[in-house]
Amino acid sequence: MKRALLSVIFALAASAVCSAQSFTYYFPQVASGDGWRTTIFISNATANSPATGVIAVVKSDGTPFWANWIDETGANVTLGSDIINFTLGPGQSKKYVTLGDQALTVGYARVTANASVLGTAMFSQLDGAGNILAEAGVPMGIPLGKQA
């Protein structure tokens, strides 16, 4: 009887730990200002549960990367801060773009989510009239404990 009770407690504890699982990803480069802007696309890779998370943007020197980011509706989602909160339904995607209304600032972004998400960052260089001169994209990176 004790073994059965301990087995049930262990199973409940294991499910609590698994349900509180967190996923961390990185965009190794983010740039905004002086004709540069970054667009981050993020998608919920799960088919039947929502994903919530945070994109924290950090300058190369480790300090917060304060910038104005807008979503696909044109709403400012950061109001000049370094944090983008997101909630994605199953299979849903969102787009976040820096306004580039500052001196050139570079850094990286850390994505933390409660479910598996996918993402890509796209860098755009604009001329003085706002025309795109060049673009490049990179996928988000998964941190590795060891590299061979």
Side-chain angles (χ1 to χ4, degrees):
M1 185 64 176
K2 286 184 183 180
R3 286 186 186 170
L5 180 60
L6 287 174
S7 296
V8 169
I9 290 172
F10 178 74
L12 290 174
S15 10
V17 168
C18 290
S19 67
Q21 190 173 11
S22 178
F23 296 86
T24 302
Y25 309 96
Y26 290 90
F27 289 108
Q29 184 70 45
V30 175
S32 181
D34 287 345
W36 287 95
R37 72 174 179 214
T38 299
T39 303
I40 292 178
F41 299 94
I42 194 135
S43 301
N44 182 353
T46 62
N48 52 2
S49 62
T52 59
V54 172
I55 303 171
V57 191
V58 182
K59 287 193 227 175
S60 297
D61 64 5
T63 60
F65 187 140
W66 292 306
N68 287 303
W69 290 78
I70 58 170
D71 64 10
E72 62 274 356
T73 68
N76 190 328
V77 295
T78 58
L79 300 174
S81 76
D82 61 325
I83 300 292
I84 302 169
N85 293 299
F86 64 86
T87 300
L88 301 167
Q92 183 182 13
S93 297
K94 288 199 175 179
K95 174 176 96 169
Y96 302 102
V97 183
T98 59
L99 290 180
D101 56 349
Q102 62 202 61
L104 179 61
T105 308
V106 296
Y108 65 94
R110 181 179 57 250
V111 179
T112 307
N114 70 337
S116 179
V117 295
L118 303 172
T120 301
M122 184 173 65
F123 312 103
S124 304
Q125 184 180 24
L126 311 172
D127 66 13
N131 299 310
I132 296 173
L133 299 174
E135 287 186 313
V138 295
M140 65 171 41
I142 299 169
L144 301 173
K146 293 184 180 180
Q147 293 192 10

